[in-house]
Amino acid sequence: QPPAHYTEASLVRALEELGIGRPSTYAPTITTILARRYVTKENKNIYVTELGEVVNNMTNDKKTLLNIYHQKLQEMQTEKSELEALKEFIDDGDPDKANELLDYETIENAIESMLPEEKWADYLISHFKPFLNVRIKTSEQKQALKNLLEYCDETTLKIPFMMRLGTKLASGIINETRTADEMIAFYRDMSEEEYERLKDGVLKGAKLRSGILKYYPAYIAQRKMMKEFQNKGYNDIFIPNLMILSPKYGEYKRALDRVNDRICRELGLHYDSNFNLIIRKP
């Protein structure tokens, strides 16, 4: 039996579960796709129109081309680093310098071994790959790489069934397509206006998650996944070592944390030991 058609309420829940947009943009998004006749609404149900099907296919084609573009860009950057390493070896004959380039496929394979669920492994790889075109020049970076590979080899992260089911029903996981510089700039160069919009969206989402909807199956599964990652040392071993290995990832993580810390400080948000979101009462 095919899944039920979306209503406005169920479409909002799907957008939130997929991390598409922010609470402040959900209603305008639905209004826009109705106004443009991409979808139509009948008896509360939302149906895709022929125009919507055409636009969706064009969008998917654009996403495919964008993924190819970023893949080729990554290959070009890697080839440039390899040529630089080869030139250094030709100039001074030092093989250590030629080996400074990080083989990012090694990290990819390690992440795949840590996350047996292929789609989730691909998602994590797409998030970290833009930061892995680095030169290993310090003893700290070499040790961090060793720590990462050992951690991935010894760790298996299990994705709760409801998270897997939810993403399957929502037509899959949305992988990262931005470059490292774009990801860094999003948080580092955020204007006060952009920050206030983000904070407003976080507050609205926090009120939902800390209320009766905290028992919604998708939120329960999300908390289980966060607890699984914490219990397996992902936040305390994998992430800190990656920040040392890749200075660009360290820059991104610090920019992200600054924004998150400010939002949590100003709104009085925190997670308890079971990863329930707690919001300060006004």
Side-chain angles (χ1 to χ4, degrees):
Q1 185 177 357
H5 287 283
Y6 281 118
T7 63
E8 287 195 30
S10 63
L11 182 56
V12 166
R13 285 198 297 271
L15 291 171
E16 186 174 26
E17 290 167 17
L18 290 169
I20 300 174
R22 300 184 297 276
S24 59
T25 65
Y26 296 155
T29 297
I30 294 173
T31 300
T32 298
I33 61 176
L34 282 167
R36 293 180 180 176
R37 304 186 188 280
Y38 298 157
V39 298
T40 184
K41 188 165 68 171
E42 299 177 15
N43 298 324
K44 294 186 177 181
N45 289 331
I46 293 177
Y47 300 88
V48 180
T49 64
E50 290 186 6
L51 176 61
E53 292 281 4
V54 171
V55 172
N56 182 61
N57 290 335
M58 291 174 61
T59 302
N60 287 337
D61 289 342
K62 185 176 180 180
K63 287 180 179 178
T64 299
L65 292 173
L66 187 61
N67 286 334
I68 292 173
Y69 166 76
H70 284 295
Q71 180 181 352
K72 295 298 183 183
L73 182 63
Q74 179 72 45
E75 291 173 357
M76 183 179 71
Q77 291 171 339
T78 301
E79 288 174 0
K80 180 180 178 182
S81 295
E82 289 174 343
L83 287 172
E84 289 174 356
L86 178 60
K87 182 66 165 57
E88 289 178 3
F89 177 65
I90 293 171
D91 289 343
D92 56 28
D94 185 352
D96 288 336
K97 289 186 177 181
N99 289 328
E100 286 176 356
L101 177 69
L102 172 63
D103 178 7
Y104 61 83
E105 290 183 358
T106 301
I107 295 291
E108 287 186 23
N109 293 335
I111 292 174
E112 287 176 355
S113 70
M114 180 175 65
L115 276 163
E117 189 79 17
E118 181 180 353
K119 290 183 179 178
W120 286 94
D122 289 344
Y123 167 75
L124 214 57
I125 289 168
S126 76
H127 178 73
F128 293 125
K129 190 170 182 177
F131 301 101
L132 296 182
N133 183 33
V134 299
R135 300 290 293 275
I136 301 178
K137 296 182 178 181
T138 68
S139 58
E140 288 82 6
Q141 284 178 298
K142 292 177 182 179
Q143 184 61 49
L145 177 60
K146 181 175 181 292
N147 294 342
L148 281 170
L149 296 179
E150 288 179 352
Y151 172 79
C152 292
D153 187 50
E154 298 168 358
T155 306
T156 299
L157 297 174
K158 297 179 180 178
I159 306 300
F161 171 75
M162 284 303 299
M163 286 294 291
R164 302 200 306 271
L165 178 61
T167 53
K168 185 176 181 180
L169 292 175
S171 301
I173 305 169
I174 299 176
N175 291 344
E176 182 61 70
T177 59
R178 294 173 296 176
T179 66
D181 289 336
E182 289 170 341
M183 294 170 71
I184 293 169
F186 179 81
Y187 292 104
R188 183 195 61 204
D189 304 333
M190 182 175 288
S191 68
E192 280 299 308
E193 183 180 356
E194 291 170 329
Y195 169 78
E196 289 299 329
R197 282 201 299 267
L198 177 61
K199 186 173 74 169
D200 181 62
V202 169
L203 178 59
K204 291 178 180 177
K207 288 179 177 178
L208 287 175
R209 291 169 186 251
S210 61
I212 190 66
L213 280 182
K214 72 180 180 180
Y215 301 109
Y216 186 66
Y219 293 158
I220 294 174
Q222 187 180 54
R223 291 196 294 273
K224 285 183 178 179
M225 186 171 74
M226 293 169 70
K227 197 168 185 178
E228 166 78 1
F229 276 45
Q230 178 63 32
N231 289 341
K232 295 291 180 67
Y234 175 85
N235 298 320
D236 299 315
I237 300 174
F238 183 88
I239 294 298
N241 277 289
L242 189 61
M243 291 175 69
I244 294 173
L245 176 65
S246 171
K248 267 190 176 291
Y249 181 75
E251 184 180 356
Y252 164 76
K253 185 66 167 60
R254 285 187 290 273
L256 169 63
D257 287 346
R258 279 194 296 271
V259 173
N260 282 341
D261 290 347
R262 181 182 172 189
I263 289 175
C264 290
R265 183 176 67 252
E266 293 180 1
L267 297 180
L269 298 176
H270 72 278
Y271 285 100
D272 66 14
S273 58
N274 290 315
F275 287 95
N276 293 299
L277 184 61
I278 309 298
I279 180 171
R280 180 184 61 207
K281 301 298 182 183

